[in-house]
Amino acid sequence: MRIGNRDFDTANKTYIMGILNVTPDSFSDGGRFNRPDAALFHAEEMIKEGADIIDVGGESTRPGHTVISVEEEINRVIPIIESITSRFDIPVSIDTYKSEVARQAIAAGACLVNDIWGLKADSKMAGLIAAKQVACCLMHNRQEAVYQDFLQDMKGDLAESVRLAKAAGIPDDNIILDPGIGFGKTYELNLQAMNRLEELHQLGYPILLAASRKSVIGLTLDLPANERAEGTMATTVLGVMKGCSFVRVHDIRENKRVIQMTEAILESAKIQDADKEISR
């Protein structure tokens, strides 16, 4: 698929979306990058370490977060997006579920909308994405973690987001799906979602896995957010092995190396299988 001016081989590679939270209250790095100079420096750092996309978010979506106004969110993210896109040749994503924030972010240079409500929170979002011809990542989410059959219900919810996208005119090759680790799920359901990631391929779209430093890792390892790098890398390996096209992470260098190593091992297995077929 094409995001901005770059082509992504979503069938054979796993790419890194680097997280840039310009918020004072993010669960992991709140307040560290909400000044323009600090945000720009961190973006440059992530690009040097191998990020393929920079995802800019202006409102924390952690449990118990404070909802902010559209105006405040715009004031936080637009200067950062403008600074990144004017200085660096890298696709920028806007992490928002509000269409007006997305509209101004796209005008500032963003080429992907990362919507944690999968087009369901703002009725204008799907039409905006279609009209602006940008890519979108549609995340699974629910107000409450209540399901009849978790995997089937999750796939059904994502399929509904896809229907909203297609009804608005968003083409298939502009759609990414995200299982929504940490959103509308219990600890056990988060683990189940990751364990059965490959089932989401049945929907027919590239998958983004965003588990970096989240509570499912903290609860498993009994560690605070700033000590969850190894747990995150375990989820990245799993994501690569289960065919995820993107991982959204904080620690770029480490996850880049993990992806390269995992892909090399999987590629070796493909070569061996091909050699066996030839020798038959």
Side-chain angles (χ1 to χ4, degrees):
M1 70 184 300
R2 190 166 183 84
I3 303 174
N5 64 353
R6 294 198 185 180
D7 292 316
F8 291 81
D9 181 5
T10 56
N12 298 295
K13 300 285 292 182
T14 302
Y15 298 94
I16 289 183
M17 176 183 280
I19 300 168
L20 182 57
N21 289 317
V22 290
T23 60
D25 58 344
S26 168
F27 81 94
S28 177
D29 48 18
R32 289 185 63 196
F33 309 119
N34 60 339
R35 296 191 329 275
D37 57 341
L40 192 61
F41 177 81
H42 186 54
E44 182 175 19
E45 191 176 49
M46 289 195 288
I47 292 167
K48 288 178 178 177
E49 291 181 354
D52 301 292
I53 302 170
I54 302 295
D55 189 46
V56 179
E59 178 181 283
S60 172
T61 51
R62 63 179 173 79
H65 74 282
T66 301
V67 176
I68 63 173
S69 68
V70 169
E71 292 75 18
E72 185 173 355
E73 190 173 346
I74 287 169
N75 289 337
R76 288 179 182 181
V77 301
I78 300 306
I80 304 303
I81 294 171
E82 290 176 339
S83 295
I84 295 171
T85 56
S86 67
R87 289 170 173 80
F88 306 111
D89 181 25
I90 189 169
V92 172
S93 169
I94 175 64
D95 180 359
T96 188
Y97 54 90
K98 302 167 188 173
S99 62
E100 182 58 24
V101 177
R103 186 184 70 78
Q104 295 203 30
I106 293 166
C111 51
L112 190 156
V113 176
N114 186 11
D115 184 348
I116 66 163
W117 282 105
L119 306 178
K120 298 174 184 178
D122 186 330
S123 61
K124 297 179 181 178
M125 184 68 94
L128 172 75
I129 293 168
K132 298 298 183 181
Q133 299 180 344
V134 295
C136 60
C137 182
L138 311 179
M139 197 190 81
H140 176 263
N141 206 342
R142 278 194 178 189
Q143 293 287 356
E144 296 182 8
V146 178
Y147 303 90
Q148 296 296 317
D149 181 322
F150 171 60
L151 259 295
Q152 291 303 315
D153 290 352
M154 181 170 71
K155 285 188 285 187
D157 290 347
L158 285 169
E160 178 59 28
S161 289
V162 170
R163 284 192 289 273
L164 291 172
K166 292 177 73 66
I170 300 173
D172 284 339
D173 56 5
N174 274 353
I175 298 173
I176 301 166
L177 300 180
D178 176 352
I181 303 303
F183 291 83
K185 299 169 188 66
T186 63
Y187 168 76
E188 291 78 11
L189 292 179
N190 282 312
L191 292 175
Q192 188 177 343
M194 286 189 283
N195 185 45
R196 297 174 66 180
L197 274 172
E198 69 277 6
E199 295 186 31
L200 297 185
H201 289 299
Q202 296 167 6
L203 296 170
Y205 297 91
I207 298 168
L208 177 144
L209 176 63
S212 185
R213 301 184 186 176
K214 286 186 175 176
S215 61
V216 64
I217 297 171
L219 290 169
T220 301
L221 303 179
D222 191 22
L223 290 172
N226 64 349
E227 294 183 28
R228 299 174 188 171
E230 298 91 343
T232 297
M233 286 184 279
T235 67
T236 294
V237 170
L238 188 76
V240 176
M241 295 184 71
K242 289 182 177 287
C244 291
S245 302
F246 304 91
V247 291
R248 181 180 180 273
V249 296
H250 297 84
D251 305 293
I252 308 302
R253 179 187 293 114
E254 296 86 344
N255 283 279
K256 185 79 170 182
R257 292 171 178 172
V258 161
I259 289 170
Q260 289 176 326
M261 191 68 226
T262 309
E263 286 183 339
I265 294 168
L266 295 178
E267 186 61 30
S268 173
K270 290 180 184 177
I271 293 171
Q272 290 177 7
D273 289 343
D275 288 344
K276 287 179 182 177
E277 286 295 321
I278 292 170
S279 64
R280 284 182 179 175

